Structures are given as structure tokens and as C-alpha cells.
Amino acid sequence: MNVLLAMIPAFFWGTTYAVTQFTLPEWPPLLLGALRALPAGLILLAIKPSLPQRQDWSILFKLGTLNIAAFFCLIFVMALTLPSAISGVGMVSVPVFAMLFHWLLSKQRPSKIQTLCGAVLIGLAWLLFDPRAISLNPIGLAAMMAAISCIIIGSTITKTLGGRIHWWTVLTWQLIIGGALLVLASLLHCIWQPTEYIQAYEGLSQTNFIGIIWIILLNTVLGYSMYVWLLQRMSVVDFTFGGIANPIAGIVSGILLLNEAFSLHQYLLMAGMIIASLAPQLIERLIQKLRTNSSR
């Protein structure tokens, strides 16, 4: 049941790219990030007021800067420059980069299964992102790599909390801090390049408001609340299975909202990347189950 619940936030996160392109095209990523983060943080604060301890502000500021300010901005750069399906599928490579990160920095050697599946995923990604087969914006690809780095480093910092701060407080205040930083950055950007902001304001429509509400309430308030709540009740491995809804939502929403179309070969590569990202957990779980049964 928890795996099914985990698919809900993953699904809404996967729709971010297509919903943004469909409802908020050409809006500045800094503004979109601010609109997503700060209102959501204030809503969570109103639902359950909390205030961090004095010694916790430093780490919350780091999380807000990395997990929210930088990550949200990068996500919207991806949303506005890459196909929805490519963004959704590309983000499934996070476990591979996390494995390499912890191997290099913490000397945590990956298992043979993880290494094999990681190599397969990278090989499939190389074929999918081959510039001879598909034309992709290099800015969007760079934003994807940076966003993956934010996830890995932010998750590492979050683990150092060790449950010291209540999860609701962490979620609420990193959204507020990150949102406030994005508001400040947006104001500075607006002074420097006001045209994009003026066009967004003058062209406000019902479609824009639907997109903003979707991003604030479903992608952020509901999505992040369920994510943090579920992580208290299920393992990261189990949550990974629910994450399959993310790239699938990216592909489906891209087809429905943006009429994105790829060749059968490209769709097979996407499916292969999704399977390769899940394979280590599936294989390790199967081996553990077989060992348990054999020991009885």
C-alpha cells in the first residue's frame, strides 16, 4: 500500500515539466521557483506552525539554498528547455550518480549488481541523448546534471540531521528559506531584465493560474508532504519503486499536453533506463527472499 502511495508524489513531480511548458511558457525560472516554494512553505506553516531551534538555522539555510532555491530553479530551466519525457526519464539516473558520489567521497563501494545496472543505465542514456538521434538544448542538459547534484548533496546533508529536527519543520522552513532566496533573486533579475516579467504579468491568463495552483498545491504542498511523511514509514528502497511513476508521468503528460512524439527505439531506451534504475533493488530483494526461504 505504501508503494502505491509513494507513486502519488512521484506522479505529480513527473508532470512538472509538461505542465510548466503548457501553462507557463517563457516565464522566468527564478520567478517560477519562487512561486512554487514560498507560498507552499507558508501554507505548511499555517497548517502546522513550527519554529526551528537557534542551532538549526544554519543547516536549514543550507538545505533551503540547495534543495529548494537551486533545485527548483534548475527544474524549471529543464522544464522550459527539454522535452518532458527526456526530463522525467533523465532524472532516474540519480541513483547512479549517487552511487558514484558515495564511492568517491565516502569509499562506499557499490555492489556488483549496482555497478552492472549503473553501467547499463549510463549506456542507454548515452544512446538516448545521442545528438545524432535527438536534438537537446545543452542548457537544459547542464541544468539536469546540476539538479541531480543538488539531490545527491542535499540528501547527504539531510541524513546528517538524524531525526534531530522534526520532518515538518525541515520541510516547511527549507521551502520558506529557499522561496525567500528565490524571491530576492527574482527581484534582482527583474531589475536587470524586466522584459520577461512584464510579459508574464501582462499576459496573465486562467491557464497561467491553473499551472501555478498545480505547481504550488499538488507538486509541492501535497507532493513534498507525502514524500517526507512516507519516508518515515517505509524504506528508501520501497520508495524507489513508487518513483517509477515520475518518468512515466513525464512521458504521458508530454504526449497529452505537448504532443511530444519519439520513435519506438527512443521509447524502448526510456523503458530500459527506468528498468535499469529499479533493477538493483528488485534483484537484491529477490536474492534476500531466496536466502530467507532457503534458511527455513
Side-chain angles (χ1 to χ4, degrees), residues 210-269:
I210 291 173
I212 292 170
I213 290 170
W214 184 282
I215 288 169
I216 293 173
L217 296 183
L218 298 178
N219 283 27
T220 313
V221 174
L222 176 63
Y224 273 85
S225 297
M226 288 192 68
Y227 167 68
V228 182
W229 181 78
L230 284 167
L231 280 183
Q232 314 301 311
R233 291 159 176 80
M234 61 191 300
S235 68
V236 175
V237 172
D238 287 336
F239 195 89
T240 302
F241 292 115
I244 192 175
N246 188 312
I248 291 174
I251 295 171
V252 173
S253 60
I255 294 172
L256 295 178
L257 296 179
L258 306 173
N259 296 318
E260 291 180 355
F262 299 91
S263 67
L264 177 61
H265 174 69
Q266 289 168 330
Y267 280 123
L268 289 174
L269 289 173

Side-chain angles (χ1 to χ4, degrees), residues 16-34:
T16 303
Y17 317 104
V19 168
T20 301
Q21 284 193 41
F22 184 74
T23 64
L24 301 161
E26 300 179 3
W27 278 46
L30 286 171
L31 176 60
L32 290 171

Side-chain angles (χ1 to χ4, degrees), residues 43-296:
I43 290 170
L44 293 177
L45 183 64
I47 293 173
K48 186 178 179 180
S50 63
L51 188 65
Q53 300 294 321
R54 181 182 301 177
Q55 67 270 19
D56 297 331
W57 283 107
S58 175
I59 194 166
L60 287 175
F61 184 83
K62 293 176 183 177
L63 289 173
T65 302
L66 198 63
N67 284 354
I68 304 302
F71 179 68
F72 278 14
C73 182
L74 292 166
I75 283 293
F76 285 117
V77 171
M78 290 167 54
L80 296 171
T81 56
L82 293 177
S84 174
I86 293 296
S87 295
V89 173
M91 293 300 284
V92 304
S93 59
V94 169
V96 175
F97 288 96
M99 177 182 69
L100 293 173
F101 175 83
H102 292 296
W103 187 9
L104 293 174
L105 267 70
S106 306
K107 306 303 179 184
Q108 296 178 8
R109 191 178 183 87
S111 66
K112 292 181 180 178
I113 295 172
Q114 290 174 323
T115 302
L116 176 61
C117 293
V120 170
L121 194 151
I122 291 174
L124 293 172
W126 184 270
L127 294 173
L128 178 63
F129 298 152
D130 186 349
R132 294 171 297 180
I134 186 170
S135 178
L136 297 174
N137 190 316
I139 295 176
L141 291 175
M144 179 187 293
M145 296 302 298
I148 290 172
S149 300
C150 286
I151 293 174
I152 296 168
I153 299 172
S155 300
T156 303
I157 295 174
T158 303
K159 285 182 180 180
T160 64
L161 294 174
R164 180 165 55 85
I165 311 174
H166 192 275
W167 66 267
W168 187 274
T169 302
V170 175
L171 175 60
T172 299
W173 283 98
Q174 68 174 335
L175 282 168
I176 292 174
I177 293 169
L181 291 173
L182 284 168
V183 168
L184 179 60
S186 296
L187 289 173
L188 294 174
H189 186 225
C190 182
I191 294 171
W192 180 41
Q193 291 186 335
T195 305
E196 294 179 73
Y197 294 83
I198 293 171
Q199 290 176 346
Y201 175 76
E202 291 179 344
L204 271 175
S205 64
Q206 185 178 2
T207 302
N208 294 151
F209 281 111
I210 291 173
I212 292 170
I213 290 170
W214 184 282
I215 288 169
I216 293 173
L217 296 183
L218 298 178
N219 283 27
T220 313
V221 174
L222 176 63
Y224 273 85
S225 297
M226 288 192 68
Y227 167 68
V228 182
W229 181 78
L230 284 167
L231 280 183
Q232 314 301 311
R233 291 159 176 80
M234 61 191 300
S235 68
V236 175
V237 172
D238 287 336
F239 195 89
T240 302
F241 292 115
I244 192 175
N246 188 312
I248 291 174
I251 295 171
V252 173
S253 60
I255 294 172
L256 295 178
L257 296 179
L258 306 173
N259 296 318
E260 291 180 355
F262 299 91
S263 67
L264 177 61
H265 174 69
Q266 289 168 330
Y267 280 123
L268 289 174
L269 289 173
M270 293 180 192
M273 286 181 65
I274 295 171
I275 294 170
S277 70
L278 295 173
Q281 290 84 2
L282 286 169
I283 295 172
E284 288 175 3
R285 175 173 284 192
L286 178 62
I287 292 173
Q288 185 179 10
K289 189 174 182 179
L290 291 173
R291 286 175 178 173
T292 303
N293 291 336
S294 63
S295 63
R296 290 178 180 175

